[in-house]
Amino acid sequence: MAVKELNISPVGRVEGDLDVKVYIEDGKVTRAHTQAAMFRGFEKIMEGKDPQSGLIVTPRICGICGGSHLYCASSALDTAWGTTLSPNALLLRAIGQATETIQSIPRWFYAIFATDMANKKFAQKPLYSEVVKRWAAYVGETFQKGLTASALPVQVYALFGGQWPHSSYMVPGGVMCAPTLKDITRAHAIMTQFKNDWLEPIWLGCSIERYLEIKSWDDMMAWLDESEAHRNSDLGLYLRAGLEFGLDKFGQGVGKFLAFGTYLHKDLYNKPTIEGRNKALISSSGFFDGKNWHEFDHLKVSEHVKHSWFNDQESGLHPWDEPLPTPATSTTLHDTDFSGQYSWSKAPRYDGYACEAGPLSRVIMNANPNNLDHQIKDPLFGDIIQKMGPSVFTRVLARVHEAPRLYTFIEKWLTEIDLDGDFYTKPVEKDGKGFGATEAARGSLAHWIEVKDGVIKNYQVMAPTTWNVGPMDANENPGPIEAALLGSEIEDPEDPVEVGIVARSFDSCLVCTVHAHDAKTGKELSRFKL
């Protein structure tokens, strides 16, 4: 049977272009390439600037996770300058990170992912009519309620950060805010509304406390059958429909997972160092090779550029050793010869491996039995990965699983703020190297900085999407989404929704409108508006 080529190409971008080219033979994807089609150059912008420019510039990298970039920019300078962070500063940074992440969960699930489950591909499934009723784009009953609720947590962020997105309230040495009792009370009220409007009645169908009792896949199935409220919740519908629709059968990926970790304990990171970060984390960092957990070491991170549109760069360098990116000017740019350069994205690797970043990686690290007492100890996804393996289904379930725990953390941290305590300690600026990292909603995010002669000599940003959509490396090993697409069965080449389902399960930083065309004829086959 002839090999069919399809290009899946987003247009009308807000958060960066991603094109996917797949080769289909006998109805299955046999080869796939992800192509980041737009160069923005934020790292180049930083060269020669004041070190604190990152606090203003990098939050503009993204309109959804700008707070995560701010978290990294301030943390990188904390380690470079050897600052002091008060418990209040660490709490308010954690609250900002957590509210930005939890707001993204319903927004992503309903607006980006679940609408694919209303595709006609699943029309013959028994639960299809219920999925369409609830999750059809714009008109679904809980689609609207979920998106409305997603606006609430960032109101809490704005109470402390002044605005969202693109805040700059986190600075080396702490935070530039001093909340009042009124602010804390208001934050509690907003989060309670989020819980009462969506999280418990619509999403869980039970209390947060009951849901967090689930420790294994068998527990999850028992919870599902425990009551009609559980079965008929949106989570219950996702569990039933996801399995019925076969989402657990494709999108496996590379099978290796990386998390940088986030939420630094208020009493364990008051003198920030790179070496002391892992043990201070509440949501732990680590590398999972498919069988065993390993301690995270940022020095094992490298980036490959053999298939990236950059000039004069050596592959496999650590970010501190990488030159600032120089865009290629070759006439082969945007060529379809995937044996050469085919993406603006670099190809990150950890200890030589392509790794999936994202919520699934986070919950796997939280299942590490060696986690410390103050760290999350949640064995659920250790059990799920062992029994079911990675897939679209488990990747999505991991993302939504975080919402109840994040709500609990935010409420707890709000009560721990000392209104009479310190929020900022002025640092002493100096030359040096720094590393700042967190877990953005989409996964592992890090900034590396080198300050020399009082200005930025080098600034490197490695985002979750870079990990997931990166091209092949110098050894021709595919990136995580490229690998996840392999073997996917394409039921209708004129409506290749399966490709979109896999890509969107990673929540890559793209979206808006997607169209597909035949690579040879240029004929547009279908258009999908998200």
Side-chain angles (χ1 to χ4, degrees):
M1 184 176 179
V3 176
K4 187 174 184 63
E5 301 176 14
L6 286 181
N7 285 340
I8 315 297
S9 177
V11 294
R13 220 77 28 239
V14 173
E15 295 175 328
D17 302 28
L18 177 71
D19 297 345
V20 179
K21 184 169 185 176
V22 295
Y23 299 78
I24 303 170
E25 188 172 1
D26 295 329
K28 290 186 177 181
V29 175
T30 57
R31 183 181 170 196
H33 295 292
T34 52
Q35 186 179 67
M38 181 173 66
F39 177 73
R40 302 180 74 197
F42 269 83
E43 295 161 317
K44 199 74 171 177
I45 291 170
M46 301 295 293
E47 185 179 15
K49 302 290 196 305
D50 183 282
Q52 296 193 69
S53 297
L55 308 175
I56 306 299
V57 175
T58 64
R60 271 80 183 168
I61 290 175
C62 182
I64 293 294
C65 57
S68 301
H69 284 284
L70 176 62
Y71 194 109
C72 290
S74 56
S75 297
L77 285 176
D78 282 324
T79 57
W81 290 350
T83 67
T84 297
L85 296 175
S86 67
N88 279 340
L90 290 167
L91 286 168
L92 284 168
R93 287 186 182 186
I95 289 168
Q97 179 67 69
T99 52
E100 183 175 82
T101 297
I102 198 173
Q103 66 83 29
S104 184
I105 293 172
R107 190 169 295 186
W108 166 79
F109 179 80
Y110 293 105
I112 305 303
F113 181 79
T115 56
D116 281 334
M117 295 179 70
N119 185 276
K120 67 182 186 296
K121 169 184 171 65
F122 305 110
Q124 302 306 312
K125 302 293 185 181
L127 288 171
Y128 178 73
S129 60
E130 185 63 24
V131 166
V132 171
K133 177 183 175 183
R134 296 195 204 181
W135 300 340
Y138 306 112
V139 297
E141 291 176 354
T142 55
F143 177 99
Q144 296 178 349
K145 293 176 181 177
L147 288 190
T148 299
S150 73
L152 291 168
V154 290
Q155 293 180 25
V156 175
Y157 191 109
L159 279 174
F160 307 121
Q163 65 183 49
W164 185 90
H166 310 325
S167 170
S168 294
Y169 82 104
M170 303 179 202
V171 295
V175 292
M176 298 305 288
C177 62
T180 64
L181 180 59
K182 180 180 178 181
D183 296 326
I184 303 298
T185 303
R186 176 64 179 146
H188 279 301
I190 292 169
M191 292 308 301
T192 298
Q193 184 181 353
F194 177 77
K195 178 187 71 172
N196 293 342
D197 285 359
W198 176 75
L199 183 53
E200 287 189 340
I202 293 175
W203 183 251
L204 296 176
C206 69
S207 69
I208 289 171
E209 292 75 16
R210 171 65 189 94
Y211 178 77
L212 290 177
E213 292 174 359
I214 298 170
K215 302 299 181 185
S216 68
W217 179 244
D218 289 343
D219 286 352
M220 182 72 81
M221 292 296 96
W223 170 87
L224 184 63
D225 293 332
E226 188 175 290
S227 72
E228 284 301 306
H230 297 176
R231 286 182 63 81
N232 291 327
S233 68
D234 273 10
L235 173 59
L237 178 60
Y238 173 70
L239 290 168
R240 292 183 292 129
L243 294 174
E244 181 180 278
F245 292 8
L247 302 186
D248 58 325
K249 305 302 182 186
F250 65 104
Q252 284 78 13
V254 292
K256 292 178 172 54
F257 302 88
L258 182 69
F260 293 163
T262 191
Y263 312 126
L264 293 156
H265 192 282
K266 68 181 182 68
D267 299 319
L268 298 178
Y269 203 63
N270 307 112
K271 298 289 185 181
T273 63
I274 297 173
E275 296 75 18
R277 183 178 178 274
N278 283 342
K279 290 185 178 180
L281 292 165
I282 294 172
S283 181
S284 56
S285 60
F287 168 62
F288 183 71
D289 63 12
K291 294 182 179 179
N292 300 302
W293 286 270
H294 305 269
E295 185 176 7
F296 169 68
D297 180 358
H298 84 102
L299 293 176
K300 293 184 177 181
V301 173
S302 62
E303 288 192 292
H304 288 250
V305 293
K306 178 180 179 180
H307 293 285
S308 306
W309 284 314
F310 295 109
N311 284 335
D312 305 322
Q313 288 193 237
E314 180 183 346
S315 269
L317 296 178
H318 181 271
W320 274 338
D321 300 322
E322 289 185 276
L324 287 164
T326 302
T329 56
S330 168
T331 56
T332 61
L333 280 183
H334 305 287
D335 198 346
T336 55
D337 178 11
F338 289 93
S339 63
Q341 297 171 310
Y342 64 88
S343 179
W344 283 117
S345 176
K346 298 177 183 179
R349 296 294 182 264
Y350 183 81
D351 204 18
Y353 295 105
C355 301
E356 176 175 333
L360 182 55
S361 298
R362 286 198 289 271
V363 295
I364 288 173
M365 300 316 151
N366 292 337
N368 186 345
N370 297 317
N371 282 353
L372 302 173
D373 289 344
H374 67 276
Q375 295 178 324
I376 299 171
K377 294 184 177 183
D378 182 357
L380 176 59
F381 278 84
D383 184 58
I384 288 175
I385 285 295
Q386 184 180 29
K387 290 178 177 175
M388 304 177 68
S391 65
V392 169
F393 177 79
T394 52
R395 193 171 293 118
V396 173
L397 184 60
R399 179 73 171 271
V400 297
H401 175 68
E402 292 187 309
R405 191 176 305 281
L406 287 178
Y407 175 87
T408 303
F409 277 150
I410 293 166
E411 285 288 278
K412 175 178 179 288
W413 293 331
L414 286 168
T415 67
E416 294 177 347
I417 294 172
D418 177 7
L419 298 178
D420 296 321
D422 294 329
F423 293 86
Y424 172 71
T425 303
K426 184 176 176 60
V428 176
E429 299 186 24
K430 57 184 179 182
D431 290 355
K433 292 182 177 180
F435 165 70
T438 190
E439 287 291 319
R442 294 176 177 90
S444 299
L445 170 67
H447 292 196
W448 286 264
I449 188 173
E450 181 177 359
V451 180
K452 185 174 182 180
D453 298 328
V455 298
I456 294 171
K457 178 184 178 183
N458 194 2
Y459 205 101
Q460 300 287 340
V461 174
M462 199 177 294
T465 296
T466 316
W467 282 98
N468 291 331
V469 311
M472 294 185 296
D473 58 27
N475 298 315
E476 309 303 319
N477 295 313
I481 293 181
E482 292 180 332
L485 288 166
L486 297 178
S488 296
E489 294 186 3
I490 307 301
E491 186 174 309
D492 180 2
E494 295 196 1
D495 185 6
V497 65
E498 297 87 353
V499 175
I501 287 174
V502 171
R504 284 185 280 276
S505 74
F506 286 85
D507 191 18
S508 300
C509 203
L510 36 127
V511 301
C512 286
T513 304
V514 177
H515 67 271
H517 67 272
D518 187 293
K520 292 183 177 179
T521 67
K523 174 188 174 184
E524 182 174 298
L525 301 177
S526 299
R527 186 177 291 264
F528 314 98
K529 191 164 186 176
L530 303 182

